[in-house]
Amino acid sequence: MTIVVTLPHFWHGEAERIVMLLHRGDVDFVHIRKPEASLSQIEQLIEQIPQQLHPRLTLHDYHILAPKHSIGGIHLNSRNPTPLAEWRGRISISCHSIKELSECQAERNYTYMSLSPIFDSISKQGYKAAFTPQEIEEARQQGVINSKVLALGGVRFSTIDDVIRMGFGGAMILGDAWK
């Protein structure tokens, strides 16, 4: 599974780029992550994307827009820690330690989870890999890293095969998708 996460700011041509990524064939979903955006800004971006692609979008904020626009997924975070009561679509979450990942797996049956940063970040200066190859291998052997866990942080389209070999179910890509 390959997921692209938007940059936190809006930019000209972004909706067209999201559409292009979803039509490429190697991107399964796009996460709309704009932590400083207003509800109307997020809705305007969604409305610029053809409706048939909405099931392949995931919202990090303003989950109330998901049912209204037939969005396929919501992502839980500190701003939005619980899903809508009636939500039946994909639910994902990001984890930043193996302990947190293990706790999230015990807490809820997420559609998928991310673990980061796996490599040095492309988009965040000074954001370095947090895990040694041995720690990742141990977590894989314990079943904590499995097909429902996606690698995030410094992942490039060219390193997806590497993270699959490490035991991840796929990758979430940010910096490499927008450069």
Coordinates of all heavy atoms in Angstrom, one line a residue, residues 10 32 34 37-47 51 54-55 57-74 80 84 86-87:
F10 N -1.3 25.1 1.6 CA -1.9 25.0 0.3 C -1.0 25.6 -0.7 O -0.2 26.5 -0.4 CB -3.3 25.7 0.3 CG -4.3 25.1 1.2 CD1 -4.5 25.5 2.5 CD2 -5.1 24.1 0.7 CE1 -5.5 24.9 3.3 CE2 -6.1 23.5 1.5 CZ -6.3 23.9 2.8
I32 N -5.2 14.1 3.3 CA -5.2 15.6 3.4 C -4.9 16.0 4.8 O -5.7 15.8 5.7 CB -6.6 16.1 2.9 CG1 -6.8 15.7 1.4 CG2 -6.6 17.6 3.0 CD1 -8.1 16.1 0.8
K34 N -3.7 19.2 6.7 CA -3.5 20.7 6.7 C -3.9 21.2 8.1 O -5.0 21.7 8.3 CB -4.4 21.3 5.7 CG -4.3 20.8 4.3 CD -3.2 21.3 3.5 CE -3.2 20.9 2.1 NZ -1.9 21.2 1.4
A37 N -5.4 24.7 8.6 CA -6.5 25.1 7.6 C -7.8 25.2 8.3 O -8.1 24.6 9.3 CB -6.5 24.1 6.5
S38 N -8.7 26.0 7.7 CA -10.1 26.1 8.1 C -10.9 25.0 7.5 O -10.5 24.4 6.5 CB -10.6 27.5 7.8 OG -10.8 27.6 6.4
L39 N -12.1 24.8 8.0 CA -13.0 23.9 7.4 C -13.3 24.2 6.0 O -13.3 23.4 5.1 CB -14.3 23.8 8.2 CG -15.3 22.8 7.8 CD1 -16.0 22.1 9.0 CD2 -16.4 23.4 6.9
S40 N -13.6 25.5 5.7 CA -13.9 25.9 4.3 C -12.7 25.7 3.4 O -12.9 25.3 2.2 CB -14.4 27.4 4.3 OG -13.4 28.3 4.7
Q41 N -11.5 25.9 3.8 CA -10.3 25.7 3.0 C -10.2 24.2 2.6 O -9.9 23.8 1.4 CB -9.0 26.1 3.6 CG -8.9 27.6 3.7 CD -7.7 28.0 4.6 OE1 -7.5 27.5 5.7 NE2 -6.9 28.9 4.0
I42 N -10.4 23.3 3.6 CA -10.4 21.9 3.3 C -11.5 21.5 2.3 O -11.3 20.7 1.4 CB -10.5 21.1 4.6 CG1 -9.3 21.3 5.5 CG2 -10.6 19.6 4.3 CD1 -7.9 20.9 5.1
E43 N -12.7 22.0 2.6 CA -13.8 21.7 1.7 C -13.6 22.2 0.3 O -13.9 21.5 -0.7 CB -15.1 22.3 2.3 CG -16.3 21.7 1.6 CD -17.6 21.9 2.4 OE1 -17.7 22.9 3.2 OE2 -18.4 21.0 2.3
Q44 N -13.0 23.3 0.1 CA -12.7 23.8 -1.2 C -11.7 22.9 -1.9 O -11.9 22.6 -3.1 CB -12.1 25.3 -1.1 CG -13.1 26.3 -0.8 CD -12.4 27.7 -0.6 OE1 -11.2 27.8 -0.6 NE2 -13.3 28.7 -0.5
L45 N -10.7 22.4 -1.2 CA -9.7 21.5 -1.8 C -10.4 20.2 -2.3 O -10.3 19.7 -3.4 CB -8.6 21.2 -0.9 CG -7.5 20.1 -1.4 CD1 -6.9 20.6 -2.7 CD2 -6.5 19.9 -0.3
I46 N -11.3 19.7 -1.4 CA -12.0 18.4 -1.7 C -12.9 18.6 -2.9 O -12.9 17.8 -3.8 CB -12.9 18.0 -0.5 CG1 -12.0 17.5 0.7 CG2 -13.9 16.9 -0.9 CD1 -12.8 17.4 2.0
E47 N -13.5 19.8 -3.0 CA -14.4 20.0 -4.1 C -13.7 20.2 -5.5 O -14.3 20.1 -6.5 CB -15.3 21.2 -3.8 CG -16.3 20.9 -2.7 CD -17.1 22.1 -2.2 OE1 -16.7 23.3 -2.5 OE2 -18.1 21.9 -1.5
Q51 N -15.3 13.7 -7.7 CA -16.0 13.0 -6.7 C -15.7 11.5 -6.7 O -15.7 10.8 -5.7 CB -17.5 13.2 -6.9 CG -18.3 12.8 -5.7 CD -19.8 13.3 -5.8 OE1 -20.2 13.7 -6.8 NE2 -20.4 13.2 -4.6
H54 N -13.0 10.7 -4.3 CA -13.1 11.0 -2.9 C -13.0 9.7 -2.0 O -12.4 9.9 -0.9 CB -14.5 11.6 -2.6 CG -14.5 13.1 -3.1 ND1 -15.6 13.9 -2.9 CD2 -13.7 13.8 -3.9 CE1 -15.4 15.1 -3.5 NE2 -14.2 15.0 -4.1
P55 N -13.4 8.5 -2.4 CA -13.2 7.4 -1.5 C -11.7 7.1 -1.3 O -11.4 6.3 -0.3 CB -13.9 6.2 -2.3 CG -14.9 6.9 -3.1 CD -14.3 8.2 -3.5
L57 N -9.5 9.4 -0.6 CA -9.0 10.5 0.3 C -9.2 10.1 1.7 O -10.1 9.4 2.1 CB -9.7 11.8 0.0 CG -9.6 12.3 -1.4 CD1 -10.4 13.6 -1.6 CD2 -8.1 12.6 -1.8
T58 N -8.3 10.6 2.6 CA -8.4 10.5 4.0 C -8.2 11.9 4.6 O -7.3 12.6 4.2 CB -7.3 9.5 4.6 OG1 -7.6 8.2 4.0 CG2 -7.3 9.4 6.1
L59 N -9.0 12.2 5.6 CA -9.0 13.5 6.2 C -8.3 13.4 7.6 O -8.7 12.6 8.4 CB -10.4 14.1 6.4 CG -11.1 14.4 5.1 CD1 -12.5 15.0 5.5 CD2 -10.4 15.4 4.2
H60 N -7.3 14.3 7.9 CA -6.7 14.4 9.2 C -7.5 15.4 10.1 O -7.4 15.3 11.3 CB -5.3 14.9 9.1 CG -4.3 13.8 8.6 ND1 -3.2 13.6 9.3 CD2 -4.4 13.0 7.6 CE1 -2.5 12.6 8.7 NE2 -3.3 12.2 7.6
D61 N -8.3 16.3 9.5 CA -9.0 17.2 10.3 C -10.4 17.4 9.6 O -10.6 17.0 8.5 CB -8.3 18.6 10.3 CG -7.0 18.5 11.1 OD1 -7.1 18.4 12.3 OD2 -6.0 18.6 10.5
Y62 N -11.3 18.0 10.4 CA -12.7 18.2 9.9 C -13.3 16.9 9.4 O -13.8 16.8 8.3 CB -12.7 19.3 8.9 CG -12.1 20.6 9.4 CD1 -10.9 21.1 8.9 CD2 -12.8 21.3 10.5 CE1 -10.4 22.2 9.5 CE2 -12.2 22.4 11.0 CZ -11.0 22.9 10.5 OH -10.4 24.0 11.0
H63 N -13.3 15.9 10.3 CA -13.9 14.6 9.9 C -15.3 14.7 9.5 O -15.8 13.8 8.8 CB -13.7 13.6 11.1 CG -12.3 13.3 11.3 ND1 -11.9 12.6 12.5 CD2 -11.1 13.5 10.6 CE1 -10.6 12.5 12.5 NE2 -10.1 13.0 11.4
I64 N -16.0 15.7 10.0 CA -17.4 15.9 9.6 C -17.6 16.0 8.1 O -18.7 15.8 7.6 CB -18.1 17.1 10.4 CG1 -17.4 18.4 10.1 CG2 -18.2 16.8 11.9 CD1 -18.1 19.6 10.5
L65 N -16.6 16.4 7.4 CA -16.7 16.5 5.9 C -16.7 15.2 5.3 O -17.1 15.0 4.1 CB -15.5 17.4 5.4 CG -15.5 18.9 5.8 CD1 -14.3 19.5 5.3 CD2 -16.8 19.6 5.2
A66 N -16.2 14.2 5.9 CA -16.0 12.8 5.3 C -17.3 12.2 4.8 O -17.4 11.9 3.6 CB -15.3 11.9 6.3
P67 N -18.4 12.1 5.7 CA -19.6 11.6 5.2 C -20.3 12.5 4.1 O -20.8 12.0 3.1 CB -20.5 11.4 6.4 CG -19.7 11.7 7.6 CD -18.4 12.4 7.1
K68 N -20.2 13.8 4.3 CA -20.8 14.7 3.4 C -20.2 14.6 1.9 O -20.9 14.7 1.0 CB -20.5 16.1 3.9 CG -21.1 17.2 3.0 CD -20.8 18.6 3.6 CE -21.3 19.7 2.6 NZ -21.0 21.0 3.1
H69 N -18.9 14.3 1.8 CA -18.2 14.2 0.5 C -17.8 12.8 0.1 O -17.0 12.6 -0.8 CB -17.0 15.1 0.5 CG -17.4 16.6 0.6 ND1 -17.8 17.3 -0.5 CD2 -17.4 17.5 1.6 CE1 -18.1 18.5 -0.2 NE2 -17.8 18.7 1.1
S70 N -18.4 11.8 0.8 CA -18.0 10.4 0.5 C -16.5 10.1 0.6 O -16.0 9.4 -0.3 CB -18.6 10.0 -0.8 OG -20.0 10.1 -0.9
I71 N -15.9 10.7 1.5 CA -14.4 10.5 1.8 C -14.3 9.1 2.4 O -15.1 8.7 3.2 CB -13.9 11.6 2.7 CG1 -14.1 13.0 2.1 CG2 -12.4 11.3 3.0 CD1 -13.4 13.3 0.8
G72 N -13.2 8.4 1.9 CA -13.1 7.0 2.4 C -12.4 6.8 3.7 O -12.6 5.7 4.3
G73 N -11.7 7.8 4.2 CA -11.0 7.5 5.5 C -10.8 8.8 6.3 O -10.9 9.9 5.9
I74 N -10.6 8.5 7.6 CA -10.2 9.6 8.6 C -9.0 9.1 9.3 O -8.8 7.9 9.5 CB -11.4 9.9 9.6 CG1 -11.8 8.6 10.4 CG2 -12.6 10.5 8.8 CD1 -12.8 8.9 11.5
N80 N -7.9 15.3 16.7 CA -9.1 14.5 16.5 C -8.8 13.1 16.9 O -8.6 12.2 16.1 CB -9.4 14.6 15.0 CG -9.6 16.0 14.4 OD1 -10.6 16.6 14.7 ND2 -8.6 16.5 13.7
L84 N -15.8 9.7 14.4 CA -17.3 10.0 14.5 C -18.0 8.7 14.9 O -17.6 7.6 14.4 CB -17.8 10.5 13.1 CG -17.1 11.7 12.5 CD1 -17.5 11.8 11.0 CD2 -17.5 12.9 13.3
E86 N -20.7 7.4 14.0 CA -21.3 6.6 12.9 C -20.3 6.2 11.8 O -20.7 5.6 10.8 CB -22.5 7.4 12.3 CG -22.1 8.6 11.5 CD -21.7 9.9 12.3 OE1 -21.8 9.9 13.6 OE2 -21.4 10.9 11.7
W87 N -19.0 6.5 12.0 CA -18.1 6.3 11.0 C -17.8 4.8 10.7 O -17.7 4.0 11.6 CB -16.7 6.9 11.4 CG -15.7 6.8 10.2 CD1 -14.6 6.0 10.2 CD2 -15.8 7.4 9.0 NE1 -14.0 6.2 9.0 CE2 -14.7 7.0 8.2 CE3 -16.7 8.3 8.4 CZ2 -14.4 7.4 6.9 CZ3 -16.4 8.8 7.1 CH2 -15.3 8.3 6.4

